[in-house]
């Protein structure tokens, strides 16, 4: 298994690293730190490709309790204005104000400096099992690419 | 502050873009207003500001196994109430609607959907055919300077050609929904005044004003839009020029903080509606004494 799943949209090459988990529908990535137990959250490149450039990001404050599937912030992008939904439940223990000040960072450094929040999970063991993991990644990326193309969200 | 005609302001949120703020959510179970591209993401012009990017996100007729009528029938069965028929342009700037006229007549007559069309720069034959459909409106981007038409649209046409198109639409009694893109000439105001003058000579159903929105991976990705002063002044001029015709702030404009300022200028100028308002604008309008209404469809569509 390669450590990155790559795909093309038009002439552009995108990647989805295999070292983390992904929300099946909301295209949020979740990277678990085995030492602290905390989980860093961001958006994946396929979700971003369908949204276009991010122009505005707001994030809930540190200390906020979030529930899986509910809002951890909001975004405004070329193709959507709406919620950033959390892939897991827990408490926000850190947020990336750099992305609030410069939302383009999420597009430009998606899997590194473009992270959004760090969550102290309340039920990682069970909730991570519902996320897309490394074994499922190729099939999930293929099916999502098909779905996005059928919807006309990407080329 | 100028209050609009009846102290009501309409916020439009057509379904081609997900929209959820503290003040409104268009993500209902039913997608009420759907845009369909008859050319998919293909366009012969590759305009500097768009380069086909705006076509993405529309339902692609070419990927559907059936006619335009079949697509619309399928949408109607799922609760859709109106459609925007759009597409890329041919080398003459026309959205190729003529092959779909018979379907569109049936969509209107048999399905009862509200039908809007993007026409590009239509010829007389297309305008005449559109006059037979009972359209809700034909949307046309009116460009008032030759350099913009040539350099941005890559189109061998002149402002007079746009005036001809407006004349034909008027002649065939097609409800016109002209758009003026402020700053279309690489962020500079150039032909906007002339575009407005042309529109005033051919009374529209409504006028939609939009502001150049820089789109990544286009030639205008890093273009600076017109200043807020220029935008606000043009809003006032359009309002004054069309005192009894709805003037709306349409879908496209810079996002983020500038969007908030533009939307406030629209409210202050007494425009009648705003598409996809910035968060907080509904309350801003209410504080100005306006009664907000919401319609999940293009500007001016009323069910």
């Amino acid at each position: 298994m390669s450590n990155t799943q790559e795909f093309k949209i038009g002439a552009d090459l995108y990647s989805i690293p295999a070292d983390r988990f992904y929300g099946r529908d909301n295209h949020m990535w979740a990277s678990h730190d085995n030492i602290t137990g905390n989980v860093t959250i961001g958006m994946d490149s396929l979700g971003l490709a369908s949204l276009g450039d991010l122009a505005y990001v707001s994030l809930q404050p540190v200390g906020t309790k979030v529930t899986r599937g509910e809002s951890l912030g909001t975004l405004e992008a070329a193709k959507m204005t709406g919620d950033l939904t959390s892939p897991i439940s827990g408490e926000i223990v850190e947020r990336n104000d750099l992305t609030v000040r410069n939302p383009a960072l999420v597009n430009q450094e998606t899997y590194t400096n473009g992270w959004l929040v760090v969550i102290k999970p309340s039920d990682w063991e069970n909730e991570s099992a519902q996320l897309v993991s490394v074994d499922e990644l190729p099939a999930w990326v293929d099916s999502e690419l098909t779905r996005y193309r059928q919807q006309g969200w990407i080329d | 502050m100028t209050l609009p005609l009846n102290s009501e302001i309409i916020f439009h949120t057509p379904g081609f873009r997900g929209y959820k703020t503290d003040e409104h959510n268009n993500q209902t179970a039913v997608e009420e207003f759907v845009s369909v591209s008859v050319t998919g993401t293909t366009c012969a012009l590759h305009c500097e500001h768009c380069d086909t990017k705006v076509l993405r996100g529309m339902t692609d007729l070419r990927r559907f196994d059936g006619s335009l009528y079949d697509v619309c029938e399928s949408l109607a069965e799922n609760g859709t109430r109106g459609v925007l028929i759009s597409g890329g342009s041919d080398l003459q700037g026309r959205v190729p609607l003529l092959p779909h006229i018979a379907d569109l007549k049936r969509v209107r007559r048999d399905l009862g959907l509200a039908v809007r069309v993007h026409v590009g720069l239509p010829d007389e034959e297309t305008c005449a055919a559109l006059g037979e459909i009972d359209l809700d409106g034909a949307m046309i981007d009116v460009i008032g300077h030759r350099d913009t038409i040539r350099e941005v649209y890559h189109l061998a046409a002149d402002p007079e050609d746009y005036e001809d198109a407006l004349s034909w639409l008027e002649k065939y009694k097609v409800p016109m929904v002209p758009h003026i893109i402020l700053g279309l000439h690489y962020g500079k105001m150039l032909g906007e005044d002339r575009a407005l003058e042309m529109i005033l000579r051919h009374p529209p159903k409504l006028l939609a004003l939009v502001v150049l929105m820089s789109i990544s991976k286009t030639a205008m990705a890093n273009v600076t839009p017109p200043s807020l002063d220029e935008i606000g002044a043009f809003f006032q001029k359009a309002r004054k020029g069309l005192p009894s015709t709805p003037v709306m702030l349409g879908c496209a404009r810079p996002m983020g903080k500038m969007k908030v300022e533009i939307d406030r200028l629209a409210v202050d100028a007494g425009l009648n509606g705003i598409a996809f308002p910035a968060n907080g604008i509904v309350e801003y309008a209410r504080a100005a004494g306006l009664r907000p209404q919401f319609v999940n469809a293009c500007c001016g569509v009323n069910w």
Side-chain angles (χ1 to χ4, degrees):
Chain A
M1 174 75 198
S2 161
N3 57 6
T4 300
Q5 179 77 22
E6 292 187 332
F7 59 93
K8 280 185 100 169
I9 298 176
D12 299 321
L13 185 66
Y14 294 82
S15 64
I16 293 200
D19 63 354
R20 60 197 79 192
F21 294 81
Y22 295 88
R24 227 165 266 283
D25 299 317
N26 64 8
H27 286 271
M28 305 292 283
W29 56 258
S31 177
H32 184 244
D33 183 327
N34 290 325
I35 298 170
T36 65
N38 290 339
V39 181
T40 305
I41 307 293
M43 290 195 72
D44 77 34
S45 50
L46 180 52
L48 288 165
S50 71
L51 291 176
D53 298 339
L54 263 60
Y56 174 82
V57 167
S58 74
L59 299 169
Q60 301 277 14
V62 168
T64 303
K65 299 269 198 304
V66 294
T67 303
R68 180 172 179 267
E70 296 190 356
S71 178
L72 56 77
T74 62
L75 66 85
E76 184 183 2
K79 301 281 185 182
M80 192 191 95
T81 299
D83 288 323
L84 289 158
T85 54
S86 183
I88 59 166
S89 306
E91 179 182 340
I92 296 176
V93 293
E94 198 176 344
R95 68 175 207 174
N96 187 357
D97 287 331
L98 285 177
T99 60
V100 175
R101 288 198 291 273
N102 177 23
L105 197 59
V106 181
N107 293 95
Q108 292 160 355
E109 300 181 42
T110 303
Y111 299 108
T112 52
N113 296 321
W115 61 274
L116 296 169
V117 295
V118 177
I119 290 176
K120 182 180 180 183
S122 55
D123 190 13
W124 174 250
E125 194 174 336
N126 283 317
E127 289 189 339
S128 63
Q130 297 172 63
L131 300 173
V132 177
S133 60
V134 58
D135 296 340
E136 299 175 90
L137 206 52
W140 175 72
V141 169
D142 282 348
S143 71
E144 285 296 271
L145 282 169
T146 301
R147 181 168 76 93
Y148 274 36
R149 288 193 170 110
Q150 282 171 345
Q151 295 285 346
W153 295 337
I154 57 172
D155 286 344
Chain B
M1 177 181 293
T2 312
L3 285 179
L5 307 178
N6 55 5
S7 295
E8 181 182 84
I9 187 165
I10 304 177
F11 296 107
H12 290 273
T13 57
F16 55 76
R17 185 177 161 197
Y19 178 85
K20 180 173 179 281
T21 68
D22 297 340
E23 299 179 318
H24 186 62
N25 179 7
N26 78 345
Q27 293 167 333
T28 55
V30 172
E31 202 169 349
E32 291 185 281
F33 196 83
V34 176
S35 54
V36 179
S37 172
V38 297
T39 67
T41 54
T42 301
C43 177
L45 296 183
H46 289 272
C47 301
E48 301 278 292
H49 65 303
C50 167
D51 197 14
T52 75
K53 303 291 188 297
V54 173
L55 295 170
R56 295 177 191 180
M58 295 185 181
T59 298
D60 184 346
L61 177 62
R62 301 170 313 167
R63 291 175 189 264
F64 191 86
D65 184 21
S67 67
L68 182 56
Y69 178 83
D70 296 330
V71 172
C72 292
E73 184 178 43
S74 169
L75 291 168
E77 284 168 359
N78 289 311
T80 291
R81 303 165 72 189
V83 285
L84 166 60
I85 307 304
S86 185
S89 298
D90 62 18
L91 286 170
Q92 283 73 47
R94 302 167 297 195
V95 175
L97 296 170
L98 278 175
H100 306 287
I101 295 297
D103 276 348
L104 288 173
K105 282 183 191 171
R106 290 182 64 209
V107 167
R108 184 75 197 110
R109 186 189 63 215
D110 299 345
L111 303 177
L113 297 185
V115 179
R116 279 283 178 92
V117 291
H118 272 147
V119 293
L121 178 57
D123 54 20
E124 183 167 7
E125 185 185 7
T126 302
C127 295
L130 292 174
E132 299 172 5
I133 294 176
D134 183 27
L135 286 180
D136 183 275
M139 309 211 281
I140 173 171
D141 291 345
V142 180
I143 309 176
H145 200 285
R146 186 177 194 268
D147 291 351
T148 309
I149 299 168
R150 309 259 163 160
E151 294 170 26
V152 176
Y153 270 48
H154 310 142
L155 188 59
D158 296 299
E160 290 77 8
D161 295 307
Y162 283 89
E163 179 129 27
D164 284 346
L166 293 172
S167 299
W168 292 325
L169 291 168
E170 186 178 12
K171 176 180 174 184
Y172 294 104
K173 297 183 170 47
V174 180
M176 279 182 274
V177 184
H179 285 50
I180 300 176
I181 306 171
L182 311 192
L184 180 57
H185 197 87
Y186 302 93
K188 295 185 174 63
M189 299 289 281
L190 187 60
E192 290 80 357
D193 284 346
R194 185 167 179 195
L196 180 60
E197 287 162 15
M198 290 194 288
I199 289 164
L200 296 184
R201 288 193 283 271
H202 307 278
K205 172 178 176 173
L206 66 92
L207 168 63
L209 303 175
V210 295
V211 183
L212 180 74
M213 181 170 76
S214 297
I215 299 174
S216 66
K217 296 174 186 168
T218 69
M220 290 204 200
N222 298 309
V223 163
T224 303
S227 70
L228 289 170
D229 285 347
E230 290 172 305
I231 293 167
F234 197 84
F235 287 175
Q236 298 278 357
K237 184 180 289 187
R239 174 75 289 165
K240 195 173 172 187
L242 289 164
S244 54
T245 299
V247 180
M248 306 280 194
L249 177 56
C251 294
R253 56 197 181 279
M255 296 180 288
K257 288 175 185 165
M258 188 169 186
K259 181 176 177 180
V260 177
E261 298 301 323
I262 292 171
D263 290 9
R264 286 180 176 167
L265 290 172
V267 174
D268 294 348
L271 302 197
N272 303 87
I274 298 177
F276 300 116
N279 202 15
I281 292 301
V282 175
E283 189 49 43
Y284 183 79
R286 207 175 263 129
L290 299 168
R291 281 182 292 111
Q293 306 286 325
F294 295 91
V295 176
N296 292 338
C298 278
C299 287
V301 171
N302 277 312
W303 309 115

